[in-house]
């Protein structure tokens, strides 16, 4: 017991030191790559964690956290965007994806850049965002670009202290300590905010979107953290801002007592491709279908205009979030006459599964610094526009149909989602990647 007290005391000392270092980091004006701090054998293999936490391991396995380094779409798109760059700052940004996609590898020295021979990545680092990476976190140095401060142990012979949301754990394999950070959105924000390494452009702002949302309330009864949705979700319980978020009773280990709530570790987000036989993909669809609502306003129909109102009713961040120029959320609108003939249509896909270029898409458009749009985020020196829908807000778009609906005509609107712009996937050399699923988030129809 004395050894446990000593180790916790040492851990608290490390956390104080880390806090002092993080204060310096928060005052820094430039984002610099950290020096090599750890070795890969300091981190515990997730399979070892599964020996006691089998249910949690099963939830995490084949999640996008687990597969963040192995996902074919990520790997091929990232390498494609890296090719042909000559500007030093653009190359630096393109090379840096590994900092969040294989964080254990990054902080232990390999891979440090996308062009490294990724086939030589240590097996522990291949496992993406994993148990010991998150549960070794003790502080936040910066709120972007993998800004966690870690205090791992020395491998399986001396695993050290693992941090989490409980203050009464007495595990056998490792020590445990309560961590306020693990119930705070900040632990998520360190990778879910991304700044361009050279230009400082905000490439991803998921944490900032939540921080500016109604969910970040000073009223504890109204406050919902990232964990309050994403770590309450399980099959049949989408746990969004527009649904109930019931607690998940259960045990943290295979042999411990049941608690009122065990945080789930599915981490599906909006990733509908699925790598686990379908369960996580189905959960992602369920989440997307409880993220937004649609309304129609036909008061201007006599002028050939139809208003579609989209409300971000369930996401704790903008819709969509992540890299806002790659993910697609758009409106499909069809107008039919009383015989069922299509009179107006927008938002469809062509034979290549590419989206109608005139479609209303909620997205971020990045620029080259001269006002010209860029597709490659490595070239993003500015944000030209951001039409995404903030949490809890609505956006109305007026469609000019060019036709005057008559009695008996019908209008149908759908809000659709796809994880990646198919136009980019179609540019990739080599074996084509199958078209990603298009999810119907919401639909509405009305007859004149």
């Amino acid at each position: 017991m004395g050894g446990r007290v000593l180790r916790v005391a040492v851990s608290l000392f490390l956390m104080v030191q880390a806090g002092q270092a993080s204060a310096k980091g928060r005052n820094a004006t430039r984002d610099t790559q950290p020096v090599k701090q750890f070795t890969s054998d300091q981190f515990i293999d997730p399979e070892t964690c599964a020996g006691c936490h089998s249910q949690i391991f099963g939830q995490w396995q084949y999640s996008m956290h687990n597969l963040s380094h192995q996902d074919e779409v990520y790997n091929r798109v990232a390498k494609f965007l890296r090719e042909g760059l000559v500007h030093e700052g653009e190359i630096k940004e393109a090379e840096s994806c590994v900092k969040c996609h294989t964080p254990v590898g990054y902080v232990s020295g390999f891979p440090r850049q996308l062009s490294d021979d990724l086939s030589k990545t240590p097996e522990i680092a291949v496992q993406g965002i994993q148990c010991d990476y998150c549960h070794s976190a003790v502080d936040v140095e910066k709120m972007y670009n993998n800004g966690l401060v870690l205090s791992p142990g020395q491998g399986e012979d001396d695993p050290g202290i693992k941090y989490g949301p409980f203050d009464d754990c007495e595990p056998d394999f490792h020590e445990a300590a309560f961590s306020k950070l693990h119930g705070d959105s900040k632990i998520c924000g360190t990778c879910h905010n991304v700044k361009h390494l050279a230009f400082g452009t905000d490439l991803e702002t998921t944490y900032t979107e939540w921080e500016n949302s109604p969910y970040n309330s000073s009223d504890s009864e109204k406050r919902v953290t990232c964990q309050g949705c994403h770590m309450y979700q399980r099959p049949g319980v989408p746990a969004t801002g527009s649904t109930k978020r019931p607690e998940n009773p259960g045990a943290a280990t295979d042999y411990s007592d049941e608690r009122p709530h065990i945080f789930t570790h599915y981490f599906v987000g909006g990733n509908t491709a699925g790598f686990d036989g379908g369960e996580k993909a189905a959960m992602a669809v369920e989440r997307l279908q409880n993220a937004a609502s649609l309304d129609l306003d036909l008061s201007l129909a006599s002028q050939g205009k139809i208003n579609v109102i989209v409300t971000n009713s369930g996401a704790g961040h903008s819709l969509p979030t992540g890299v806002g120029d790659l993910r697609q959320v758009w409106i499909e609108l069809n107008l039919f006459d009383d015989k069922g003939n299509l009179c107006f249509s927008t938002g469809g896909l062509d034979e290549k599964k590419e989206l109608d270029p005139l479609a209303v898409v909620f997205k971020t458009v990045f620029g080259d610094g001269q006002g010209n749009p860029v597709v490659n985020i490595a070239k993003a020196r500015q944000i030209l526009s951001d039409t995404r829908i903030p949490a809890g807000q609505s956006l109305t778009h007026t469609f000019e149909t060019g036709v005057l609906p008559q009695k008996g005509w019908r209008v149908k609107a759908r809000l659709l989602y796809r994880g990646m712009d198919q136009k980019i996937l179609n540019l990739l050399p080599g074996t084509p990647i199958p078209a990603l699923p298009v999810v119907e988030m919401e639909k509405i129809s009305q007859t004149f």
Side-chain angles (χ1 to χ4, degrees):
M1 190 70 175
R4 180 173 185 269
V5 172
L6 177 61
R7 289 180 184 178
V8 172
V10 171
S11 168
L12 293 174
F13 172 76
L14 289 172
M15 291 176 74
V16 170
Q17 298 298 319
Q20 293 173 347
S22 68
K24 296 178 182 178
R26 282 189 286 269
N27 291 328
T29 58
R30 294 186 61 191
D31 187 20
T32 56
Q33 290 188 341
V35 297
K36 179 179 177 181
Q37 295 178 325
F38 309 109
T39 59
S40 60
D41 58 9
Q42 286 183 257
F43 293 90
I44 307 300
D45 191 302
E47 292 280 357
T48 301
C49 303
C52 290
H53 305 277
S54 64
Q55 186 175 35
I56 290 175
F57 174 84
Q59 296 169 1
W60 166 85
Q61 191 176 33
Y62 303 119
S63 70
M64 291 310 294
H65 272 190
N66 177 200
L67 300 176
S68 60
H69 180 65
Q70 305 172 59
D71 175 34
E72 182 183 13
V73 173
Y74 152 70
N75 275 293
R76 290 185 59 182
V77 170
K79 290 175 182 177
F80 173 71
L81 296 179
R82 165 65 180 85
E83 294 177 1
L85 297 177
V86 294
H87 186 280
E88 181 180 355
E90 295 173 0
I91 294 173
K92 183 178 181 182
E93 173 58 36
E95 292 280 16
S96 73
C97 301
V98 294
K99 65 184 179 292
C100 287
H101 280 263
T102 174
V104 168
Y106 186 74
V107 301
S108 59
F110 192 92
R112 291 303 297 276
Q113 55 187 22
L114 190 67
S115 60
D116 286 339
D117 184 353
L118 301 185
S119 67
K120 297 180 181 179
T121 303
E123 180 58 30
I124 186 74
V126 171
Q127 300 301 314
I129 297 97
Q130 56 195 268
C131 318
D132 207 12
Y133 172 71
C134 291
H135 290 282
S136 290
V138 295
D139 199 8
V140 172
E141 181 180 36
K142 59 189 179 190
M143 279 310 308
Y144 57 92
N145 294 6
N146 187 352
L148 282 180
V149 177
L150 305 180
S151 180
Q154 299 299 321
E156 294 195 12
D157 292 337
D158 183 13
I161 301 171
K162 306 307 166 196
Y163 302 90
F166 304 126
D167 60 4
D168 59 351
C169 300
E170 295 187 2
D172 296 325
F173 177 65
H174 57 77
E175 302 296 341
F178 169 75
S179 165
K180 183 179 179 181
L181 175 63
H182 284 73
D184 194 313
S185 293
K186 289 181 178 179
I187 196 172
C188 309
T190 56
C191 270
H192 289 281
N193 264 10
V194 178
K195 286 183 178 292
H196 196 293
L197 287 179
F199 310 142
T201 316
D202 288 320
L203 303 179
E204 296 188 38
T205 55
T206 303
Y207 173 79
T208 301
E209 294 156 20
W210 169 85
E211 190 176 33
N212 295 331
S213 79
Y215 297 95
N216 182 23
S217 173
S218 58
D219 183 345
S220 61
E221 295 296 317
K222 298 179 180 179
R223 182 179 177 84
V224 183
T225 62
C226 305
Q227 295 90 330
C229 284
H230 289 278
M231 299 188 76
Y232 276 62
Q233 186 183 10
R234 58 267 197 194
V237 182
T240 71
S242 63
T243 71
K244 293 182 178 180
R245 298 182 296 277
E247 291 187 326
N248 177 50
T253 72
D254 298 345
Y255 52 84
S256 56
D257 294 337
E258 184 170 291
R259 297 178 182 273
H261 178 69
I262 297 296
F263 287 103
T264 63
H265 288 67
Y266 291 98
F267 301 122
V268 298
N271 299 290
T272 58
F275 297 92
D276 66 334
E279 180 187 56
K280 291 182 176 64
M283 290 174 62
V285 170
E286 190 173 35
R287 173 170 287 278
L288 289 165
Q289 291 178 337
N290 286 278
S293 62
L294 277 179
D295 285 299
L296 289 171
D297 172 11
L298 305 183
S299 61
L300 300 178
S302 61
Q303 302 174 32
K305 299 177 181 180
I306 296 175
N307 290 325
V308 179
I309 304 98
V310 183
T311 301
N312 181 350
S313 57
H317 42 67
S318 294
L319 190 66
T321 192
V323 183
D325 70 331
L326 297 181
R327 296 186 180 184
Q328 293 184 312
V329 172
W330 74 96
I331 298 173
E332 177 193 80
L333 185 72
N334 291 312
L335 179 62
F336 304 90
D337 66 18
D338 55 354
K339 295 181 174 57
N341 300 309
L342 185 63
C343 300
F344 174 82
S345 180
T346 183
L349 303 179
D350 64 17
E351 67 279 359
K352 295 181 180 179
K353 304 298 183 182
E354 295 181 11
L355 181 58
D356 172 5
L358 299 179
V360 175
V361 186
F362 305 105
K363 64 182 295 184
T364 306
V365 177
F366 294 107
D368 62 359
Q370 303 297 321
N372 302 307
V374 295
V375 173
N376 190 338
I377 60 174
K379 299 182 178 182
R381 289 166 169 79
Q382 64 185 144
I383 296 174
L384 296 178
S385 64
D386 186 352
T387 58
R388 299 176 302 153
I389 309 171
Q393 296 187 28
S394 299
L395 188 147
T396 300
H397 185 82
T398 301
F399 289 88
E400 302 268 1
T401 67
V403 294
L404 302 181
Q406 306 298 313
K407 183 178 180 181
W409 287 33
R410 183 169 61 91
V411 61
K412 179 180 179 182
R414 297 198 298 162
L415 187 68
L416 303 174
Y417 169 91
R418 185 164 58 182
M420 174 69 69
D421 185 344
Q422 188 65 36
K423 184 177 293 186
I424 294 176
L425 296 183
N426 288 343
L427 293 173
L428 300 179
T431 304
I433 294 178
L436 296 182
V438 174
V439 177
E440 182 182 89
M441 298 179 66
E442 185 63 287
K443 65 180 178 181
I444 188 171
S445 64
Q446 193 167 331
T447 301
F448 293 88

